[in-house]
Amino acid sequence: MPPLPEILSQLNDDMRANDTWGDVAAYIPELARVDPAQFAIAVTTDDGDVFTAGNADTAFSVQSITKVFTLAIALGRSGDQLWRRVGREPSGRAFNSIVQLEQESGRPRNPFINAGAIVTTDEILTGREPRDTLAEILQFVRAAAGDDNIHINHSVAASETAHGHRNFALAHFLASCGNLNNTPEKALGTYFHHCAIEMSVRQLAMAGRFLIETPKFPRMILPQRIRRLNALMLTCGHYDGSGDFAYRVGLPAKSGVGGGILAIVPGKASIAVWSPGLNRYGNSLKGTQAMASLARAMGWSIF
Ligand code: GLU
């Protein structure tokens, strides 16, 4: 097997050789302006080494990938009580589906679809102000990455606030079912802002280390919780494309509409990939291809 840096460099060349990049997320105007023809990948191993290829230091909007961090915080705060408000099953529906939430009386299927992440955010927000909640989320992400130079892009948050009609519909429906402790505006304001955190693939791969479960990295959450987060990433991390991603890649992972994907090789590595063009499920097109190639080349799979 060639060494990892060579594999990543070859992968970068392969991804750029083909001109089908997918479509950027159009429903958030700030994201619609991003050039889709970009690619970056970073791998952090359990030894603490980082290998990268492509635009590895370009910051991008991590969007739904923050749902992994907010879930870790919410479970740390509320424990199993959280599951009274949100389920743990794959949705088989689009990330922003409204119909399923109504059919299931306002209890979202899982914490990674939008409705579930709004509930998780609301749980962390309860009894506190959005500013303090966002500071805690940022602090967690920065500590995980070992990097204080990670910020929220306020233009992206404002853009989503102005155009996030579906998320407002979901939040108001949750409130009508008694499944929001805060006003929809407050819960969504916090949710849009944590989704607007920006990181490079290098920073994101570093931030993913807390999910590797290795004694070599300072423990941020309980080992049992790491396994459970990984289980949810595998079954629910790619919305209605989760089964396909598990089949092709075989690793727990979480995607975001900014075109990023964070994947974990338990006990071994954390991988971040970014390419802003999306496939029909709203997951990075080239990011998914690259994850599949890397997993194959390295023999990485949980199966
Ligand atoms: N902020 C985005 C939304 O709520 C996140 C979606 C995603 O990244 O998949 O629609």
Side-chain angles (χ1 to χ4, degrees):
M1 189 198 302
L4 184 53
E6 247 175 67
I7 292 177
L8 296 182
S9 160
Q10 183 63 49
L11 204 52
N12 183 42
D13 293 346
D14 293 348
M15 291 300 134
R16 288 167 192 276
N18 171 327
D19 228 18
T20 308
W21 290 92
D23 300 315
V24 291
Y27 71 97
I28 303 175
E30 278 293 306
L31 297 186
R33 297 184 355 193
V34 176
D35 175 8
Q38 301 187 75
F39 178 81
I41 189 160
V43 177
T44 303
T45 64
D46 67 326
D47 299 326
D49 293 329
V50 190
F51 303 99
T52 69
N55 312 101
D57 293 302
T58 305
F60 63 93
S61 195
V62 298
Q63 291 294 321
S64 279
I65 301 171
T66 56
K67 294 173 183 173
V68 177
F69 299 92
T70 50
L71 178 60
I73 296 170
L75 284 172
R77 201 172 143 92
S78 308
D80 285 342
Q81 298 285 341
L82 179 71
W83 303 120
R84 293 183 179 184
R85 302 183 61 190
V86 58
R88 301 191 292 261
E89 293 297 336
S91 65
R93 298 270 186 170
F95 66 99
N96 53 8
S97 171
I98 294 171
V99 67
Q100 188 171 57
L101 191 64
E102 178 165 20
Q103 273 165 355
E104 299 185 357
S105 310
R107 183 172 178 263
R109 272 285 173 104
N110 68 65
F112 292 153
I113 53 172
N114 285 9
I118 294 166
V119 166
T120 306
T121 304
D122 180 68
E123 182 79 15
I124 311 177
L125 187 56
T126 301
R128 289 191 299 173
E129 287 307 313
R131 195 183 331 116
D132 303 322
T133 306
L134 287 167
E136 181 182 357
I137 296 169
L138 254 186
Q139 195 190 354
F140 187 98
V141 173
R142 286 173 177 168
D147 189 337
D148 281 345
N149 194 21
I150 294 173
H151 305 280
I152 292 172
N153 182 324
H154 291 277
S155 309
V156 172
S159 181
E160 195 171 1
T161 306
H163 296 88
H165 305 300
R166 270 187 171 259
N167 282 325
F168 276 102
L170 291 170
H172 279 279
F173 191 79
L174 288 165
S176 79
C177 296
N179 201 4
L180 268 198
N181 299 332
N182 298 278
T183 62
E185 289 69 24
K186 210 167 163 181
L188 277 183
T190 311
Y191 169 76
F192 290 147
H193 279 79
H194 73 65
C195 285
I197 290 176
E198 290 190 333
M199 278 187 258
S200 65
V201 285
R202 186 191 302 276
Q203 291 170 319
L204 182 58
M206 291 294 279
R209 289 176 306 176
F210 84 104
L211 292 167
I212 298 178
E213 201 185 345
T214 164
K216 294 179 194 158
F217 179 67
R219 189 204 274 176
M220 291 185 69
I221 60 173
L222 298 172
Q224 187 193 41
R225 205 156 269 158
I226 294 176
R227 274 172 242 151
R228 290 182 160 166
L229 281 168
N230 274 292
L232 288 168
M233 287 166 76
L234 183 81
T235 51
C236 310
H238 278 69
Y239 311 120
D240 44 342
S242 298
D244 188 56
F245 189 91
Y247 182 84
R248 289 169 66 186
V249 182
L251 295 173
K254 181 74 202 86
S255 70
V257 288
I261 302 175
L262 172 67
I264 304 301
V265 192
K268 293 201 174 86
S270 158
I271 312 165
V273 67
W274 170 61
S275 185
L278 307 178
N279 62 20
R280 67 191 165 100
Y281 302 115
N283 302 314
S284 174
L285 180 76
K286 296 246 189 208
T288 304
Q289 292 168 358
M291 284 287 186
S293 299
L294 178 62
R296 199 167 42 239
M298 295 299 294
W300 282 340
S301 168
I302 62 162
F303 299 105

